[in-house]
Amino acid sequence: MTSPGDAFRQTGWPGLRARLFHLYFVLRRPMTLGVRGLIHDRASRSVFLIRHTYVPGWQLPGGGVEVGETMNEALARELAEEGNIALTAPPVLKSMHFNRRSSRRDHVGFYLAEHFSQTAPKLPDHEIAEAGFFPLDGLPAGTTPATLRRIAEVFDGEQPSPYW
């Protein structure tokens, strides 16, 4: 079965050359892409935050987009892994950010999800030390500055920063 993009796929020497150029640019200028989700429970006006075992602070759940994975797929996977959260409707892409603190080539897609279910509370494991829902007016001490900025952008009308 052919896909709509097959008509534009190069084959033979031009296709090999294109793949070699792509490999060169990946090695020369690799870029990483991540996703983070602001999981908002409207009924309780609370948001879901996690605290990792390997970095300080409370933050939004998320992680890297794997090869062959869409940003939505990556977010759904990360939410399931880090919070036992399943999306019941597509999340809304709110903004894209350059994460210069992580690397010179890291970018993060920031999503808002208000339609979800949590199959069970997230118990601590090797990656997640703590996780839970917190009221917007009672975020835990140690919530990271980037997390506070994203929350302010969504709920307080702050202008989205181009930086994470």
Side-chain angles (χ1 to χ4, degrees):
M1 178 172 216
T2 62
S3 70
D6 285 346
F8 300 102
R9 184 166 287 128
Q10 293 180 317
T11 58
W13 169 245
L16 177 61
R17 186 180 66 194
R19 286 191 299 279
L20 289 172
F21 272 113
H22 180 75
L23 177 61
Y24 167 77
F25 284 113
V26 165
L27 295 174
R28 181 87 170 107
R29 295 186 231 159
M31 185 179 96
T32 57
L33 179 63
V35 291
R36 293 283 179 146
L38 178 57
I39 311 308
H40 177 226
D41 183 345
R42 284 185 184 178
S44 65
R45 280 203 38 87
S46 62
V47 294
F48 185 77
L49 300 176
I50 60 170
R51 192 172 63 75
H52 283 108
T53 57
Y54 51 88
V55 292
W58 287 92
Q59 52 196 287
L60 301 168
V65 178
E66 302 293 336
V67 173
E69 190 174 49
T70 68
M71 290 173 64
N72 281 357
E73 290 167 343
L75 182 63
R77 175 181 50 75
E78 290 289 344
L79 294 176
E81 291 173 3
E82 295 184 349
N84 295 327
I85 292 174
L87 296 172
T88 58
V92 176
L93 177 63
K94 297 300 284 183
S95 51
M96 292 293 297
H97 304 268
F98 172 39
N99 189 6
R100 62 185 172 190
R101 289 179 171 251
S102 181
S103 84
R104 294 176 31 212
R105 302 290 297 162
D106 189 49
H107 295 78
V108 180
F110 171 58
Y111 286 85
L112 173 63
E114 296 182 301
H115 304 283
F116 63 91
S117 64
Q118 188 176 39
T119 58
K122 177 61 180 172
L123 299 175
D125 60 25
H126 68 283
E127 181 184 3
I128 306 299
E130 295 180 86
F133 283 90
F134 297 90
L136 286 167
D137 60 0
L139 298 175
T143 300
T144 65
T147 298
L148 294 172
R149 284 192 299 274
R150 299 299 82 79
I151 290 171
E153 290 165 4
V154 170
F155 297 109
D156 299 335
E158 294 289 329
Q159 189 68 16
S161 169
Y163 302 102
W164 186 252

